[in-house]
């Protein structure tokens, strides 16, 4: 199993299970099936609304002796309405209680965007708090405290661009060790990846299969379908693999972590098999040539006229 090494020599399995949109009623089976199939890394978040059910699956896996806590790498994320310094540890403790764990391996600031405490999902500009009023560096101080308290082993961020990372790096005691961002052949983020490498920050690729079909108002018409790409299909055919496996394998070959979501037992089993696939330099180059700079998750839901954030301020 490929791993990413952290500064203290802890190793994170590069391949993991995503759980966004893994509905209650199905995520329990997904997590248990995945662990039985050899998954050792689960990617969670408070806002996914399913951590309790994931916790039930984890605790059963421990009780049945399938794995021990030390065998697993569990990541979760701080939601945007708990960025105030006093709210971070309570939010983390809620996640730990829901997941039935004593500690997380990795805790991430989910977005470089702050919401008012009473707001779960943003619907108007008044829901937002600007970074001038609540900077990421203040939230980070509480993330550092979480490490000191032994509640988390490692801390990092998600959806951070270079500017936000630089700000955090120069204003922190513990440097972020992970940036979890969208990355796949149509949106490779090569520039951000090499910036992160230079700074000793690992990158986790989310939406590696092009994310799920979205029915929301931000979905673009004629959205390109990564899983139906002809080059990917061609490479898959030549390896007797599926397109999904090629996309996962490509992310692993690039040295990133990758966390495809599935609640389907067949696809859960299929996705981890991608670890066995070897891609040649030529395969890698053909896939690299597919970049369209196309984001599936645009972040537009944070942006309102006269609001605290612009796409430029979020992604740059
Ligand atoms: P993915 O790119 O992982 O795609 C998931 C979709 O692909 C689901 O519809 C799934 O359906 C389907 N699928 C899974 N395996 C295969 C396969 N082998 N062949 C064909 N279809 C397949 O999208 P996500 O957006 O879920 O991203 C992955 C994870 O990344 C999330 O679950 C979450 O943990 C994390 N994430 C983090 C974000 C952040 O802001 N930090 C944002 C977005 C995602 P089915 O379940 O039926 O198999």
């Amino acid at each position: 199993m490929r791993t990413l090494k952290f500064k203290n020599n802890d190793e994170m399995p590069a391949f993991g299970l995503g759980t966004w949109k893994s509905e209650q009623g199905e995520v329990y089976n997904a997590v248990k099936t995945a662990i039985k199939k050899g998954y050792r890394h689960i990617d969670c978040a408070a806002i996914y609304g399913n951590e309790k059910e994931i916790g039930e699956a984890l605790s059963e896996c421990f009780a049945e002796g399938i794995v021990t806590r030390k065998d697993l790498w569990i990541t979760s994320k701080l939601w945007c309405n708990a960025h105030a310094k006093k709210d971070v540890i309570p939010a983390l403790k809620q996640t730990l209680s829901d997941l039935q764990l004593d500690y997380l391996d990795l805790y991430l600031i989910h977005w470089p965007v702050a919401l008012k405490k009473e707001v779960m999902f943003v619907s108007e500009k008044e829901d937002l708090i600007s970074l001038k009023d609540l900077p990421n560096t203040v939230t980070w101080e509480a993330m550092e405290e979480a490490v000191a308290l032994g509640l988390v082993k490692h801390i990092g961020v998600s959806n951070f661009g270079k500017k936000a990372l630089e700000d955090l790096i120069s204003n922190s005691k513990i440097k972020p060790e992970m940036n979890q961002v969208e990355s796949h052949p149509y949106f490779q983020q090569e520039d951000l990846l090499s910036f992160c490498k230079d700074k000793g920050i690992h990158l986790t690729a989310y939406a590696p299969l092009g994310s799920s079909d979205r029915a929301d108002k931000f979905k673009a018409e004629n959205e390109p379908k990564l899983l139906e790409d002809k080059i990917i299909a061609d490479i898959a055919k030549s390896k007797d693999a599926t397109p999904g496996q090629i996309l996962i394998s490509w992310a692993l070959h690039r040295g990133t972590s990758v966390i495809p979501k599935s609640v389907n037992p067949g696809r859960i089993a299929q996705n981890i098999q991608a670890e066995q696939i070897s891609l040649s330099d030529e395969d890698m180059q053909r896939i690299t040539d597919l970049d369209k700079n196309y984001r599936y998750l645009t972040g537009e839901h944070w942006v309102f006229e006269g609001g605290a954030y612009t796409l430029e301020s979020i992604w740059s």
Side-chain angles (χ1 to χ4, degrees):
M1 189 177 265
R2 286 175 195 249
T3 60
L4 302 184
K5 202 173 241 189
F6 281 65
K7 286 169 197 144
N8 70 348
N9 288 329
D10 280 354
E11 290 188 54
M12 167 175 142
F15 174 83
L17 179 73
T19 62
W20 180 38
K21 295 191 185 162
S22 299
E23 302 295 336
Q24 296 189 33
E26 48 184 28
V27 72
Y28 169 89
N29 278 329
V31 170
K32 238 182 135 178
T33 305
I35 290 175
K36 283 185 181 164
K37 293 283 176 201
Y39 285 59
R40 294 293 178 263
H41 164 184
I42 315 287
D43 182 74
C44 313
I47 195 63
Y48 300 163
N50 54 12
E51 289 194 323
K52 268 198 176 142
E53 202 173 309
I54 294 174
E56 284 163 25
L58 295 178
S59 97
E60 278 212 26
C61 287
F62 300 147
E64 289 173 20
I66 301 168
V67 280
T68 66
R69 174 66 186 90
K70 281 209 302 277
D71 298 328
L72 295 184
W73 182 282
I74 309 292
T75 299
S76 185
K77 314 184 194 88
L78 176 78
W79 188 235
C80 307
N81 68 348
H83 276 207
K85 207 170 166 186
K86 65 174 179 22
D87 293 333
V88 174
I89 302 288
L92 168 59
K93 285 188 172 166
Q94 184 63 54
T95 273
L96 287 170
S97 153
D98 288 347
L99 291 171
Q100 303 187 39
L101 299 175
D102 299 331
Y103 70 92
L104 292 177
D105 297 279
L106 178 61
Y107 198 41
L108 307 176
I109 298 183
H110 205 146
W111 283 88
V113 169
L115 281 174
K116 289 183 179 159
K117 193 174 178 181
E118 63 280 11
V119 177
M120 206 53 124
F121 298 102
V122 63
S123 57
E124 53 185 10
K125 68 177 179 191
E126 286 73 23
D127 294 338
L128 296 160
I129 305 175
S130 79
L131 289 183
K132 273 199 200 94
D133 293 329
L134 181 41
N136 292 316
T137 46
V138 169
T139 310
W140 192 254
E141 286 170 18
M143 300 286 282
E144 293 176 330
E145 192 188 331
V147 177
L149 292 170
L151 299 174
V152 303
K153 303 252 187 221
H154 301 275
I155 49 178
V157 295
S158 173
N159 296 304
F160 273 48
K162 287 198 272 185
K163 245 182 170 164
L165 278 172
E166 254 161 0
D167 183 36
L168 209 52
I169 291 165
S170 29
N171 293 291
S172 53
K173 283 189 279 201
I174 304 177
K175 307 301 166 202
E177 288 190 274
M178 175 61 71
N179 191 17
Q180 183 181 121
V181 294
E182 177 170 344
S183 183
H184 46 73
Y186 288 172
F187 191 65
Q188 300 184 13
Q189 303 241 52
E190 192 52 48
D191 194 33
L192 185 60
L193 177 60
S194 68
F195 173 87
C196 286
K197 265 191 195 149
D198 273 0
K199 303 285 179 194
I201 301 170
H202 290 299
L203 194 138
T204 295
Y206 77 58
L209 310 177
S211 204
S212 40
D213 277 342
R214 292 180 299 134
D216 64 47
K217 62 180 175 170
F218 298 111
K219 186 177 165 66
E221 274 180 35
N222 303 322
E223 196 165 72
K225 289 197 186 299
L226 182 58
L227 277 163
E228 293 173 15
D229 186 278
K230 284 198 171 55
I231 300 289
I232 300 291
D234 195 43
I235 297 172
K237 203 168 160 211
S238 74
K239 313 251 170 217
D240 203 13
T242 66
Q245 288 176 319
I246 299 302
L247 294 169
I248 295 164
S249 177
W250 176 79
L252 293 171
H253 278 74
R254 276 179 104 208
T256 66
S257 173
V258 61
I259 47 173
K261 171 263 178 187
S262 183
V263 291
N264 175 289
R267 288 191 285 274
I268 288 171
Q270 179 194 125
N271 289 346
I272 193 170
Q273 291 303 321
E275 290 222 59
Q276 314 307 324
I277 295 170
S278 174
L279 297 175
S280 65
D281 289 348
E282 192 198 331
D283 297 327
M284 288 300 286
Q285 189 56 50
R286 287 178 79 198
I287 301 175
T288 300
D289 291 344
L290 295 176
D291 205 352
K292 295 180 193 294
N293 203 23
Y294 186 86
R295 248 187 226 283
Y296 288 98
L297 283 97
T298 60
E300 282 165 277
H301 58 290
W302 299 117
V303 178
F304 297 88
E305 209 179 321
Y309 299 89
T310 61
L311 288 182
E312 166 79 11
S313 77
I314 293 172
W315 298 126
S316 63

